[in-house]
Amino acid sequence: MYHRVFELLDKLDVITQKTEELRRVREEIHNPNTSASDLVGLCEKRDYLIPDIQALCREIANDTREVKDD
């Protein structure tokens, strides 16, 4: 686990922010008013966010150190 609980909580906050951004991007992609040129950028952003979120989750899952109180 992270050396300190607050470090884990900070990492989870980052994941939450990125998932909210992914949700907004997804909504824009499915919006019929989104232009084709905007769609390209949105798809690129989506394709970046997904592996980024997965990597952050992997970091948490792979960190098995002992937790210290903070």
Side-chain angles (χ1 to χ4, degrees), residues 20-54:
E20 289 170 356
E21 186 176 357
L22 179 59
R23 189 178 312 278
R24 284 191 298 272
V25 167
R26 181 181 177 275
E27 288 172 2
E28 280 296 313
I29 288 171
H30 293 287
N31 183 340
N33 297 324
T34 301
S35 69
S37 60
D38 288 340
L39 196 56
V40 171
L42 289 166
C43 288
E44 288 175 359
K45 190 168 194 169
R46 177 202 58 201
D47 294 345
Y48 166 80
L49 283 168
I50 292 170
D52 194 27
I53 293 167
Q54 290 171 329

